[in-house]
Amino acid sequence: MKAQRVEMFVCPSAAPADTSGLQALADAGKIRPDTLVALVGKTDGTGFHDDWGRIWADAALRDWTARFLGVPTDEVAKHVIFVLSGGCPGVITPHIAAVTRQWVEVAEPAGDKRLVVGRAGSDAIAPEEVGRMGMMRKVAAATHEAMTDAGITEPKDVHLVMVKVPGLTVASIRDAESRGHTVVSHDLTFGPEGAGSYANDAAALGVAMALGEVPESKLSDDVVRRDWDLYSEVAMTSSGGEKRHGEVVVFGNSSASVSPLVIGHSVTKDFIDAQGVRDALRSAGLQFNDGLPDESDLDRLVHVFAKSVIPGSDVVRGQHITLLDDHNAYQIGKALGGMLVASVTGRTTNYVSGGERNSHQGPPGGNIVAAVVRVG
Amino acid sequence: MKAQRVEMFVCPSAAPADTSGLQALADAGKIRPDTLVALVGKTDGTGFHDDWGRIWADAALRDWTARFLGVPTDEVAKHVIFVLSGGCPGVITPHIAAVTRQWVEVAEPAGDKRLVVGRAGSDAIAPEEVGRMGMMRKVAAATHEAMTDAGITEPKDVHLVMVKVPGLTVASIRDAESRGHTVVSHDLTFGPEGAGSYANDAAALGVAMALGEVPESKLSDDVVRRDWDLYSEVAMTSSGGEKRHGEVVVFGNSSASVSPLVIGHSVTKDFIDAQGVRDALRSAGLQFNDGLPDESDLDRLVHVFAKSVIPGSDVVRGQHITLLDDHNAYQIGKALGGMLVASVTGRTTNYVSGGERNSHQGPPGGNIVAAVVRVG
Amino acid sequence: MKAQRVEMFVCPSAAPADTSGLQALADAGKIRPDTLVALVGKTDGTGFHDDWGRIWADAALRDWTARFLGVPTDEVAKHVIFVLSGGCPGVITPHIAAVTRQWVEVAEPAGDKRLVVGRAGSDAIAPEEVGRMGMMRKVAAATHEAMTDAGITEPKDVHLVMVKVPGLTVASIRDAESRGHTVVSHDLTFGPEGAGSYANDAAALGVAMALGEVPESKLSDDVVRRDWDLYSEVAMTSSGGEKRHGEVVVFGNSSASVSPLVIGHSVTKDFIDAQGVRDALRSAGLQFNDGLPDESDLDRLVHVFAKSVIPGSDVVRGQHITLLDDHNAYQIGKALGGMLVASVTGRTTNYVSGGERNSHQGPPGGNIVAAVVRVG
Amino acid sequence: MKAQRVEMFVCPSAAPADTSGLQALADAGKIRPDTLVALVGKTDGTGFHDDWGRIWADAALRDWTARFLGVPTDEVAKHVIFVLSGGCPGVITPHIAAVTRQWVEVAEPAGDKRLVVGRAGSDAIAPEEVGRMGMMRKVAAATHEAMTDAGITEPKDVHLVMVKVPGLTVASIRDAESRGHTVVSHDLTFGPEGAGSYANDAAALGVAMALGEVPESKLSDDVVRRDWDLYSEVAMTSSGGEKRHGEVVVFGNSSASVSPLVIGHSVTKDFIDAQGVRDALRSAGLQFNDGLPDESDLDRLVHVFAKSVIPGSDVVRGQHITLLDDHNAYQIGKALGGMLVASVTGRTTNYVSGGERNSHQGPPGGNIVAAVVRVG
C-alpha cells in the first residue's frame, strides 16, 4: 500500500524576501520540487492593511518556488500551497515552515498514526461572497478535498486546517458594487465589524461545516460573527486582499503514514491559559515536568501553530482588561499570543496569527494550539 | 520591642478616578488614616507621554487621600507615598494596591522574617539632574532613609525598591536651559535615548548604590544607559513629568515584623523566561506543581510586581525578534511582560511596568519579579 | 421687542482640567451664571476610545461650572450645553469656547442679521437607538426645539448645528443585548462600520431632517452610512460613550439680535480644498486678498468650526491616496483638517473634529466649515 | 558650447513595486538609458523603521533600471541616483519622478537661466560617522562634485540638494562597536535623539558647508542637533539603514541650459505657513491670484519638493500645540506637511518628506519648499 512520509522544516527569515533558508534546504536535498507541498510562515511587518512585508514575501517566495519547481510563477499555486500570515509583533520570529510529502510503498499500515498532509485550492471567491455562506461552502468543499488528498476519513484525525482566503480591498469592494452586489463590510480592518474578521470567520465556519463540528443547517450569513457557540477547534484562518481563491492545508494523523512526525492539538480556555498550550504539546506526545519542556524535549518539538484571537469580553478570570478599548488591540493581541506560546515552548519561532476580536476559530475566549512532534 | 504589621490590599480600578475600592477598604476599617503608607498602582491608559489617565488618577487619588487623612492635598505626600505607573496594555488590569503599616508591641523577635515596609521622599531633583549622578545620589540617600524606616539593615533582606522620579517635559527642559544647564536628552519618550529611560535608569543605579550592588566608584553620568553590567536586582523605577521629588518605598523581610505576609524576588534570564516568574513566587514561599499555582495557592498570592524592560538585543534564545524595530515597542513590550506574569499567576491584577529599552533594572535582557505571599 | 446679544470667547487649555481661562472670563465679568449657555471645545489627548483627557476635561469643566452657577454638578446640563470633542493631533490647540447669551429690549429689529444661539437636550437615547432612526428623530426634535430657542424660523438662517450624542461602549452594548435588543455595531471605533461613526451620522441625518435638507420619507435605518447623497451642510456631530442624552446647539443669524458677531458657513469640495475654508470666512463677512487674512482680519475672526471627515474614496483630484489603508487614519485624518483650516486662518485655535470615514456631515468627500466674525 | 536639457516626469505608483509608469515613459521614448539620471520618489508605507514598502520599492526600481540600462543591478547606482523617501501618510500620493538629462550643442548661452541637474555619490560612510563630521565632510565633497556635474558655480543658483545617506541599524551599530567605535545614538527612530535625525541633520550641514551657508569653522560633532542657527535653505535629506554611501542630486538654474523647466525655492516661516509654499511656486515663475493656482497654472507646475520637519517648540504663532507629546508625531508631522503643500498646489502628487523633530534643514520652525515649473 501507499503511505505518506511528511517532513516539516522551520527556517527563520532575516527579511521578507529572504529565501536563503529554503535554498539551503534545497541544496541539502531536504526539499525537492516533487516533494514540496506547502510553505507556511509568519512575515516581518506590522500585520496591518498596508503591511508590504507580507506582500513582498509572497512575491519573493513565489518567484523562488517557481525557479525551484521550474514552472511559471503563476502556476506555482497549482503545486505548492502558500499560507503567509503577516505581522510578527513582540516575540514572534519571522519564519517559513516548508512541508514536504513523499509517497512510499509499505507492506501494511503502521501500528500508530503519523502525520499526513493534504491540500486543495477552492473555487474563486468573489468579493460579495467574502464573509458569507458563499465563502463557507467553497472552503468546506476545499477542506473535504484536502482531507481526501491527505488520506484522512475521520474528522477526529484532523488536528489543523490552515486556510487562507481573500479579504476585501477598496478595489474589490468597488468591483462588487459596480456589479450590483453588496459586501459584508466596508471596514477593511480586523476590528469587530471588519471585513478581515468576517473573511477569517466564514472560512472557520466552512471548516467546521466540513468536519461536522457545526451542522450545515445551523449556518447562514447571519450567524457569522454573531453566534459564537458555533466554531471549529482546528481551523486557523487568515485573509489577504490580494487573493482570489481560498487555499486549504489539512494536517492530521493516519496509519497510512510513515512520517517521523505526529501532530496534536488543544484549545486554551481563555486568553492567559498557558495550560492549554501545554496540553497541545502533550497531545502530540511531548512529555515534560514543571510546565516547561527541557532542551531534549525541544529537540523533538518541531513546530507550534497557534491562534491569538482577542476575547469578545473585557473580563478575564473575573477581572476587567482594557484591551478591547485599545487602538492597538490588533497588534497587541497578536503579540500576547506569541508570548503565551513562547513562555511554554521556550523559543520564538512559533507560528502565531490573530489579533482579530472574537472568532469562530476556537471556543469563545479561547484559542487553538496545534503542535508537531518528532517521534521517529 | 516594636514590630511592624504590614498588610497589602489590591483594588481593581474601573476608571482612572475610581476610588471606590479604597473607600470600601476604609469603610471596612482595613485601611486607616494612621496606617496607610503607600498606594502603588497601574492606571488605565496608553502609558505614552500624553496619557492623561495617569495624571487624572494621581489627582483623584490625592484628593481622596487628603479627605481620608484630613489634610490638605499638597500635604498628602508627607504621609502616603504614591507610585502610579501608567499604561495597562493587554492583560494588565488597572488597580491600586494599598499598603498599611501598624506598629505593635511584641515580647521578642519572631522566628521567621516577615514583610516590612519603609518609605522616604528624596530632595527635589532639578531637570538638569534627571538621568545623572545628581538623581542617583538623591535616590540612594532616600533608599537608605527608607531602609531605616523599614527597620532593615541588611541589603539582602530588601526584595523590592519602588522608586518614582521626575522625568523631563518640554517645560522643565526650557526651565533648565533658561538657567544655563543642559539636560540629559531632548527626547521625551522612553526610547533608547529618551529622557524617561535615563530617569528610570539613574534611579535604578541610585538603588544599586544604596544597596551596594554597584560600588559608587563605578558610577558616573557616563555609565547611565551605557554600561549594562551595572544594575540592581530589586529596583523598579518609573518617572513622570509632573513630579519634582523622588519617592522611594522599600519592601523587605525582617524578624521585627508580625506581618502575615512575606516577600521574595527573582529575575528572569530573558524576555520569555516564565521560569523566572515561578522562581519569584517560590522564593516568597508559594509551592506549586506543573508550572501553575492552583486556586488555593492563588488565595495566598497577594500580589506580584514585575518589570518588563525590552532587551537591548534583537536576539532571544538564538533567534531574531523584530520588537526593537517596532514603532509600538514601548506598549507591546509592556504588554508582553503582563502576559508573561499572567500566564504563571493565572490572573491579570499584576503590577507590571516597563516598555523602555534596556535598563539598569535587572540584568541585561532579564527582568525583576517580586511576589508577596500570605503566610499568617 | 426682545433681542439676543451673543458673545463667544475662546480660551486655550493648558491641560484637560484647566479651567483658568474660564475663571479669568468670570473674574472679568465677561461670562456670568445667567448668560453662559454653551461650552464648546477641543480637549487634549488622542481622541481614541481610551482617551481619558476628554473624560477628565468633561468632569473638571462640569465641576467648575457647577460652582460657577451654584448648582449641583448633575444639574449643570440643564443650564449649559457641553460639546467637547476629544483629540488635538497636529496643529489643533486644545481650547474651550464659552458662548454667552443675554436678552435685551430693543425698539425694532436690526437692519442686518446677527448671531443668535439656541440649545436643547434630546430625550434619552437608548443604546439600541444609537445610529438608527430612533436617534435621528430625537435629534431632529431637539434641533427644532433649539431653533425655537434661538428665535430662528428659516432653516437658511441656520449656519451651524453642533450635536453631541451617546456612542456605544462595551457596557452599553451589554445592557442593550441583555434587554433583547440588537445594536448597530459591535465595533467601538470610528472606522467605517464603527459605532462612533453610526452615532455621528444618525445625528447628522437628524439635523438634515429637522432643516428639510433631507425629507423624512427618504430616511430609514438602512440609509445610515449607505446613501451618501443624503447629508446636512451644517451639522457637526460627535459622540461619546458616557452620554445618555443628545445635546444640540444651533447657531444662526437673526434680525432679532444685537450681537456684535455674525456667523457664516461653506463646504469644502474635497479633502484638500483650502478655497472652501476661505469661502466660509468670507461668507461670514471677512474680506481678504491672496488667500490669507491679515492681522486686522484675524482680529475680527472670532472662531472657526470645521469637520474633517475622511473621504470614502481613495482618489483625490484624480490621484490615489493611501489614507484609507492607514491604521492611523482616524488621527491623521483629523490632524489634516486642522492643518487645512490653520493654513488659511493663520492660527491653531480652531475647532476641528473628525477622523471618521465618510459621513452624512457635508457632501461626499467634502467637509463643513463655519466661521464667526466680529462686526460690531 | 554644451548645454543641458533636463526633463522631469512624475509617475504615480499603485504599489511599491509598480514600475509601469516608468515603463510607459520608456516605451514613449521620454526616458532613455543614456538620459535617465535620477529617480526621486515617495513610497507607499508607514515610513517607520520596519516599513518594507520602501525597501521593496528600492529593490524593484533597481531591478527595473538594471534591465532598462542593460547593466547588473549592483552597477545601477553608478548611472542613476535613487532618492526614495518612505511614508505617504495622509494626502501624499506615492510616486516616482524620473529626471533626464541630455547634452546638446548650442551656439551661445540662453538669455535666462534654466534647470540643470548634477549628481554624485559620496565615499562610503561608516556607521561611526553617521550624524557626525565624517558624514558632513563626505556629503559636502559630494555636493561640490554634483555642482560641478551640473555646471553650477554660484551657490545662489542652487535651489535644491537632495541627499540620501546611511542611517543606523541594529546590525550596523553592532558592526561599529565591534570595531571599537561609538555611534551617535542607539535610538533607531527619527525622534529628537534618534539616529535617523542625526543622519539627516549631518547631511544637511554637509550641504550647508558646501554652499557656504555655514562656515566650516562653526561645524563640529557637537553642533549637530544642538545649534539650530546653523542650517541649509536648500538641503532635503533622508536616511535609510540599508545604504552605505551618500547620494547627492543638485538642482539649480544655469544659462548653460536649454531645459523647458525652471526651479525656484523658498522657506516657510513656521509649521502652518501656506504663504511660504506660495512663495516657492512664485519664485519658480508661477503666477496666480487669491492664493491658489488655477488649472492652467497647474499644467505648468511640474513638481514640488518640500520638507515637513516638526518644530522644536510646542508653540506656533503664540499658541500651544500638542504635537511634540504625540506618540505618532513622526507620521502626523509628515502628513501635515503634505496637506500644507496640497492645500496650495491643489494636488496630491507632491514630494514631501519629514516627520523628524527639529532639523538643520531650513530655519528653526520653518521648512524648505522647492518648485519646478515649465516655461518652454
PDB file of all heavy atoms in Angstrom, chain A residues 88 93 271 278 282 290-291 320 322 328 331 339, chain B residues 12 88 93 271 278 282 290 319-320 322 328 331 339:
ATOM      1  N   CYS A  88       4.659  40.190  12.927  1.00  0.00           N
ATOM      2  CA  CYS A  88       5.428  39.463  13.936  1.00  0.00           C
ATOM      3  C   CYS A  88       5.703  40.341  15.149  1.00  0.00           C
ATOM      4  O   CYS A  88       6.849  40.466  15.587  1.00  0.00           O
ATOM      5  CB  CYS A  88       6.747  38.976  13.331  1.00  0.00           C
ATOM      6  SG  CYS A  88       6.528  37.642  12.127  1.00  0.00           S
ATOM      7  N   THR A  93       9.269  35.223  15.890  1.00  0.00           N
ATOM      8  CA  THR A  93      10.335  35.332  14.894  1.00  0.00           C
ATOM      9  C   THR A  93       9.769  35.058  13.493  1.00  0.00           C
ATOM     10  O   THR A  93       9.126  34.033  13.281  1.00  0.00           O
ATOM     11  CB  THR A  93      11.439  34.304  15.201  1.00  0.00           C
ATOM     12  OG1 THR A  93      12.075  34.669  16.424  1.00  0.00           O
ATOM     13  CG2 THR A  93      12.469  34.260  14.076  1.00  0.00           C
ATOM     14  N   PHE A 271      -7.640  33.804  27.547  1.00  0.00           N
ATOM     15  CA  PHE A 271      -6.534  34.478  26.881  1.00  0.00           C
ATOM     16  C   PHE A 271      -5.191  34.306  27.598  1.00  0.00           C
ATOM     17  O   PHE A 271      -4.147  34.585  27.014  1.00  0.00           O
ATOM     18  CB  PHE A 271      -6.881  35.966  26.740  1.00  0.00           C
ATOM     19  CG  PHE A 271      -6.235  36.639  25.586  1.00  0.00           C
ATOM     20  CD1 PHE A 271      -6.362  36.118  24.303  1.00  0.00           C
ATOM     21  CD2 PHE A 271      -5.499  37.811  25.742  1.00  0.00           C
ATOM     22  CE1 PHE A 271      -5.767  36.735  23.212  1.00  0.00           C
ATOM     23  CE2 PHE A 271      -4.897  38.432  24.668  1.00  0.00           C
ATOM     24  CZ  PHE A 271      -5.030  37.891  23.402  1.00  0.00           C
ATOM     25  N   ARG A 278       0.357  23.896  27.008  1.00  0.00           N
ATOM     26  CA  ARG A 278       0.995  22.644  27.438  1.00  0.00           C
ATOM     27  C   ARG A 278       0.200  21.430  26.963  1.00  0.00           C
ATOM     28  O   ARG A 278       0.763  20.431  26.518  1.00  0.00           O
ATOM     29  CB  ARG A 278       1.067  22.600  28.960  1.00  0.00           C
ATOM     30  CG  ARG A 278       2.138  23.508  29.500  1.00  0.00           C
ATOM     31  CD  ARG A 278       2.233  23.373  31.024  1.00  0.00           C
ATOM     32  NE  ARG A 278       2.996  24.509  31.464  1.00  0.00           N
ATOM     33  CZ  ARG A 278       2.470  25.610  31.973  1.00  0.00           C
ATOM     34  NH1 ARG A 278       1.180  25.714  32.190  1.00  0.00           N
ATOM     35  NH2 ARG A 278       3.261  26.613  32.268  1.00  0.00           N
ATOM     36  N   ARG A 282       1.509  18.207  24.837  1.00  0.00           N
ATOM     37  CA  ARG A 282       1.388  16.839  25.361  1.00  0.00           C
ATOM     38  C   ARG A 282       0.493  15.978  24.468  1.00  0.00           C
ATOM     39  O   ARG A 282       0.717  14.782  24.337  1.00  0.00           O
ATOM     40  CB  ARG A 282       0.854  16.889  26.790  1.00  0.00           C
ATOM     41  CG  ARG A 282       1.935  17.393  27.763  1.00  0.00           C
ATOM     42  CD  ARG A 282       1.399  17.731  29.145  1.00  0.00           C
ATOM     43  NE  ARG A 282       2.518  18.076  30.033  1.00  0.00           N
ATOM     44  CZ  ARG A 282       2.413  18.868  31.099  1.00  0.00           C
ATOM     45  NH1 ARG A 282       1.247  19.396  31.414  1.00  0.00           N
ATOM     46  NH2 ARG A 282       3.479  19.132  31.841  1.00  0.00           N
ATOM     47  N   ASP A 290       6.963  20.343  35.345  1.00  0.00           N
ATOM     48  CA  ASP A 290       7.013  21.711  35.861  1.00  0.00           C
ATOM     49  C   ASP A 290       6.720  22.754  34.783  1.00  0.00           C
ATOM     50  O   ASP A 290       7.299  23.831  34.776  1.00  0.00           O
ATOM     51  CB  ASP A 290       8.367  22.015  36.523  1.00  0.00           C
ATOM     52  CG  ASP A 290       8.234  23.238  37.450  1.00  0.00           C
ATOM     53  OD1 ASP A 290       7.133  23.462  37.984  1.00  0.00           O
ATOM     54  OD2 ASP A 290       9.228  23.960  37.598  1.00  0.00           O
ATOM     55  N   GLY A 291       5.887  22.387  33.863  1.00  0.00           N
ATOM     56  CA  GLY A 291       5.345  23.396  32.967  1.00  0.00           C
ATOM     57  C   GLY A 291       6.203  23.750  31.779  1.00  0.00           C
ATOM     58  O   GLY A 291       5.734  24.442  30.879  1.00  0.00           O
ATOM     59  N   HIS A 320     -11.432  42.971  34.871  1.00  0.00           N
ATOM     60  CA  HIS A 320     -11.509  43.813  33.675  1.00  0.00           C
ATOM     61  C   HIS A 320     -10.137  44.003  33.040  1.00  0.00           C
ATOM     62  O   HIS A 320      -9.161  44.287  33.720  1.00  0.00           O
ATOM     63  CB  HIS A 320     -12.083  45.169  34.106  1.00  0.00           C
ATOM     64  CG  HIS A 320     -12.029  46.233  33.071  1.00  0.00           C
ATOM     65  ND1 HIS A 320     -12.823  46.233  31.946  1.00  0.00           N
ATOM     66  CD2 HIS A 320     -11.264  47.346  32.978  1.00  0.00           C
ATOM     67  CE1 HIS A 320     -12.560  47.300  31.215  1.00  0.00           C
ATOM     68  NE2 HIS A 320     -11.611  47.995  31.813  1.00  0.00           N
ATOM     69  N   THR A 322      -8.283  46.143  29.597  1.00  0.00           N
ATOM     70  CA  THR A 322      -8.587  47.315  28.767  1.00  0.00           C
ATOM     71  C   THR A 322      -8.317  47.061  27.293  1.00  0.00           C
ATOM     72  O   THR A 322      -8.465  47.967  26.466  1.00  0.00           O
ATOM     73  CB  THR A 322      -7.738  48.524  29.236  1.00  0.00           C
ATOM     74  OG1 THR A 322      -6.354  48.218  29.027  1.00  0.00           O
ATOM     75  CG2 THR A 322      -7.970  48.831  30.701  1.00  0.00           C
ATOM     76  N   ASN A 328      -4.489  49.872  19.597  1.00  0.00           N
ATOM     77  CA  ASN A 328      -3.538  48.907  19.062  1.00  0.00           C
ATOM     78  C   ASN A 328      -3.872  47.472  19.429  1.00  0.00           C
ATOM     79  O   ASN A 328      -2.994  46.596  19.450  1.00  0.00           O
ATOM     80  CB  ASN A 328      -2.116  49.241  19.558  1.00  0.00           C
ATOM     81  CG  ASN A 328      -1.589  50.487  18.896  1.00  0.00           C
ATOM     82  OD1 ASN A 328      -1.840  50.725  17.717  1.00  0.00           O
ATOM     83  ND2 ASN A 328      -0.875  51.303  19.652  1.00  0.00           N
ATOM     84  N   GLN A 331      -2.618  44.503  17.095  1.00  0.00           N
ATOM     85  CA  GLN A 331      -1.204  44.152  17.153  1.00  0.00           C
ATOM     86  C   GLN A 331      -0.813  43.600  18.536  1.00  0.00           C
ATOM     87  O   GLN A 331      -0.085  42.607  18.639  1.00  0.00           O
ATOM     88  CB  GLN A 331      -0.390  45.409  16.850  1.00  0.00           C
ATOM     89  CG  GLN A 331       0.913  45.135  16.174  1.00  0.00           C
ATOM     90  CD  GLN A 331       1.602  46.409  15.702  1.00  0.00           C
ATOM     91  OE1 GLN A 331       1.288  47.510  16.140  1.00  0.00           O
ATOM     92  NE2 GLN A 331       2.567  46.254  14.808  1.00  0.00           N
ATOM     93  N   MET A 339       3.624  35.601  23.060  1.00  0.00           N
ATOM     94  CA  MET A 339       4.276  35.425  24.353  1.00  0.00           C
ATOM     95  C   MET A 339       3.728  34.216  25.087  1.00  0.00           C
ATOM     96  O   MET A 339       4.491  33.452  25.699  1.00  0.00           O
ATOM     97  CB  MET A 339       4.089  36.688  25.201  1.00  0.00           C
ATOM     98  CG  MET A 339       4.702  36.588  26.589  1.00  0.00           C
ATOM     99  SD  MET A 339       6.489  36.214  26.620  1.00  0.00           S
ATOM    100  CE  MET A 339       7.169  37.868  26.835  1.00  0.00           C
TER     101      MET A 339
ATOM    102  N   PRO B  12      -9.009  46.510  42.103  1.00  0.00           N
ATOM    103  CA  PRO B  12      -9.137  46.862  40.685  1.00  0.00           C
ATOM    104  C   PRO B  12      -9.801  48.231  40.537  1.00  0.00           C
ATOM    105  O   PRO B  12     -10.644  48.600  41.348  1.00  0.00           O
ATOM    106  CB  PRO B  12     -10.047  45.758  40.133  1.00  0.00           C
ATOM    107  CG  PRO B  12      -9.957  44.640  41.120  1.00  0.00           C
ATOM    108  CD  PRO B  12      -9.727  45.287  42.453  1.00  0.00           C
ATOM    109  N   CYS B  88      -1.851  50.167  30.806  1.00  0.00           N
ATOM    110  CA  CYS B  88      -2.274  48.796  31.096  1.00  0.00           C
ATOM    111  C   CYS B  88      -2.569  48.039  29.812  1.00  0.00           C
ATOM    112  O   CYS B  88      -3.642  47.451  29.664  1.00  0.00           O
ATOM    113  CB  CYS B  88      -3.514  48.823  31.990  1.00  0.00           C
ATOM    114  SG  CYS B  88      -3.165  49.376  33.661  1.00  0.00           S
ATOM    115  N   THR B  93      -4.710  44.419  34.456  1.00  0.00           N
ATOM    116  CA  THR B  93      -5.902  45.092  34.982  1.00  0.00           C
ATOM    117  C   THR B  93      -5.496  46.333  35.771  1.00  0.00           C
ATOM    118  O   THR B  93      -4.661  46.228  36.677  1.00  0.00           O
ATOM    119  CB  THR B  93      -6.683  44.131  35.902  1.00  0.00           C
ATOM    120  OG1 THR B  93      -7.196  43.063  35.108  1.00  0.00           O
ATOM    121  CG2 THR B  93      -7.813  44.840  36.614  1.00  0.00           C
ATOM    122  N   PHE B 271      13.565  37.501  27.944  1.00  0.00           N
ATOM    123  CA  PHE B 271      12.247  38.123  27.818  1.00  0.00           C
ATOM    124  C   PHE B 271      11.103  37.111  27.830  1.00  0.00           C
ATOM    125  O   PHE B 271       9.953  37.496  28.016  1.00  0.00           O
ATOM    126  CB  PHE B 271      12.229  38.948  26.519  1.00  0.00           C
ATOM    127  CG  PHE B 271      11.271  40.098  26.548  1.00  0.00           C
ATOM    128  CD1 PHE B 271      11.313  41.030  27.583  1.00  0.00           C
ATOM    129  CD2 PHE B 271      10.331  40.275  25.545  1.00  0.00           C
ATOM    130  CE1 PHE B 271      10.428  42.099  27.622  1.00  0.00           C
ATOM    131  CE2 PHE B 271       9.446  41.343  25.570  1.00  0.00           C
ATOM    132  CZ  PHE B 271       9.496  42.249  26.620  1.00  0.00           C
ATOM    133  N   ARG B 278       8.084  31.969  38.026  1.00  0.00           N
ATOM    134  CA  ARG B 278       7.832  30.913  39.022  1.00  0.00           C
ATOM    135  C   ARG B 278       8.816  31.007  40.184  1.00  0.00           C
ATOM    136  O   ARG B 278       8.447  30.847  41.341  1.00  0.00           O
ATOM    137  CB  ARG B 278       7.994  29.532  38.370  1.00  0.00           C
ATOM    138  CG  ARG B 278       6.853  29.203  37.470  1.00  0.00           C
ATOM    139  CD  ARG B 278       7.000  27.789  36.911  1.00  0.00           C
ATOM    140  NE  ARG B 278       6.058  27.688  35.829  1.00  0.00           N
ATOM    141  CZ  ARG B 278       6.352  27.837  34.550  1.00  0.00           C
ATOM    142  NH1 ARG B 278       7.602  28.003  34.160  1.00  0.00           N
ATOM    143  NH2 ARG B 278       5.402  27.796  33.652  1.00  0.00           N
ATOM    144  N   ARG B 282       7.990  31.215  44.181  1.00  0.00           N
ATOM    145  CA  ARG B 282       8.503  30.213  45.125  1.00  0.00           C
ATOM    146  C   ARG B 282       9.433  30.840  46.162  1.00  0.00           C
ATOM    147  O   ARG B 282       9.481  30.408  47.312  1.00  0.00           O
ATOM    148  CB  ARG B 282       9.208  29.103  44.350  1.00  0.00           C
ATOM    149  CG  ARG B 282       8.191  28.209  43.615  1.00  0.00           C
ATOM    150  CD  ARG B 282       8.815  27.257  42.629  1.00  0.00           C
ATOM    151  NE  ARG B 282       7.792  26.372  42.060  1.00  0.00           N
ATOM    152  CZ  ARG B 282       7.864  25.786  40.874  1.00  0.00           C
ATOM    153  NH1 ARG B 282       8.923  25.982  40.089  1.00  0.00           N
ATOM    154  NH2 ARG B 282       6.892  25.017  40.445  1.00  0.00           N
ATOM    155  N   ASP B 290       3.753  21.623  38.249  1.00  0.00           N
ATOM    156  CA  ASP B 290       3.469  21.759  36.817  1.00  0.00           C
ATOM    157  C   ASP B 290       3.345  23.201  36.366  1.00  0.00           C
ATOM    158  O   ASP B 290       2.523  23.543  35.513  1.00  0.00           O
ATOM    159  CB  ASP B 290       2.220  20.976  36.429  1.00  0.00           C
ATOM    160  CG  ASP B 290       2.209  20.725  34.913  1.00  0.00           C
ATOM    161  OD1 ASP B 290       3.301  20.624  34.318  1.00  0.00           O
ATOM    162  OD2 ASP B 290       1.121  20.652  34.333  1.00  0.00           O
ATOM    163  N   GLN B 319      17.320  33.400  18.346  1.00  0.00           N
ATOM    164  CA  GLN B 319      16.500  33.779  17.198  1.00  0.00           C
ATOM    165  C   GLN B 319      16.209  35.275  17.201  1.00  0.00           C
ATOM    166  O   GLN B 319      15.987  35.872  18.254  1.00  0.00           O
ATOM    167  CB  GLN B 319      15.178  32.994  17.197  1.00  0.00           C
ATOM    168  CG  GLN B 319      15.344  31.496  17.021  1.00  0.00           C
ATOM    169  CD  GLN B 319      15.910  31.118  15.651  1.00  0.00           C
ATOM    170  OE1 GLN B 319      15.955  31.920  14.723  1.00  0.00           O
ATOM    171  NE2 GLN B 319      16.368  29.878  15.536  1.00  0.00           N
ATOM    172  N   HIS B 320      16.128  35.828  16.005  1.00  0.00           N
ATOM    173  CA  HIS B 320      15.847  37.245  15.806  1.00  0.00           C
ATOM    174  C   HIS B 320      14.388  37.568  16.118  1.00  0.00           C
ATOM    175  O   HIS B 320      13.487  36.869  15.678  1.00  0.00           O
ATOM    176  CB  HIS B 320      16.141  37.576  14.329  1.00  0.00           C
ATOM    177  CG  HIS B 320      15.691  38.919  13.890  1.00  0.00           C
ATOM    178  ND1 HIS B 320      16.286  40.088  14.296  1.00  0.00           N
ATOM    179  CD2 HIS B 320      14.688  39.289  13.059  1.00  0.00           C
ATOM    180  CE1 HIS B 320      15.679  41.114  13.741  1.00  0.00           C
ATOM    181  NE2 HIS B 320      14.700  40.666  12.986  1.00  0.00           N
ATOM    182  N   THR B 322      11.620  41.049  16.078  1.00  0.00           N
ATOM    183  CA  THR B 322      11.521  42.341  15.383  1.00  0.00           C
ATOM    184  C   THR B 322      11.109  43.468  16.324  1.00  0.00           C
ATOM    185  O   THR B 322      10.935  44.598  15.887  1.00  0.00           O
ATOM    186  CB  THR B 322      10.506  42.251  14.232  1.00  0.00           C
ATOM    187  OG1 THR B 322       9.214  41.974  14.784  1.00  0.00           O
ATOM    188  CG2 THR B 322      10.875  41.155  13.254  1.00  0.00           C
ATOM    189  N   ASN B 328       5.675  50.516  17.935  1.00  0.00           N
ATOM    190  CA  ASN B 328       4.898  50.361  19.156  1.00  0.00           C
ATOM    191  C   ASN B 328       5.615  49.521  20.209  1.00  0.00           C
ATOM    192  O   ASN B 328       4.980  48.951  21.095  1.00  0.00           O
ATOM    193  CB  ASN B 328       3.540  49.725  18.840  1.00  0.00           C
ATOM    194  CG  ASN B 328       2.645  50.690  18.103  1.00  0.00           C
ATOM    195  OD1 ASN B 328       2.634  51.881  18.387  1.00  0.00           O
ATOM    196  ND2 ASN B 328       1.900  50.191  17.135  1.00  0.00           N
ATOM    197  N   GLN B 331       4.757  50.013  24.058  1.00  0.00           N
ATOM    198  CA  GLN B 331       3.485  49.499  24.543  1.00  0.00           C
ATOM    199  C   GLN B 331       3.442  47.961  24.461  1.00  0.00           C
ATOM    200  O   GLN B 331       2.986  47.292  25.390  1.00  0.00           O
ATOM    201  CB  GLN B 331       2.370  50.106  23.697  1.00  0.00           C
ATOM    202  CG  GLN B 331       1.083  50.288  24.436  1.00  0.00           C
ATOM    203  CD  GLN B 331       0.058  51.059  23.619  1.00  0.00           C
ATOM    204  OE1 GLN B 331       0.167  51.198  22.406  1.00  0.00           O
ATOM    205  NE2 GLN B 331      -0.949  51.562  24.293  1.00  0.00           N
ATOM    206  N   MET B 339       1.670  39.589  30.053  1.00  0.00           N
ATOM    207  CA  MET B 339       1.270  38.226  29.689  1.00  0.00           C
ATOM    208  C   MET B 339       2.187  37.202  30.336  1.00  0.00           C
ATOM    209  O   MET B 339       1.716  36.175  30.832  1.00  0.00           O
ATOM    210  CB  MET B 339       1.274  38.058  28.172  1.00  0.00           C
ATOM    211  CG  MET B 339       0.906  36.657  27.719  1.00  0.00           C
ATOM    212  SD  MET B 339      -0.732  36.069  28.301  1.00  0.00           S
ATOM    213  CE  MET B 339      -1.724  36.414  26.830  1.00  0.00           C
TER     214      MET B 339
END
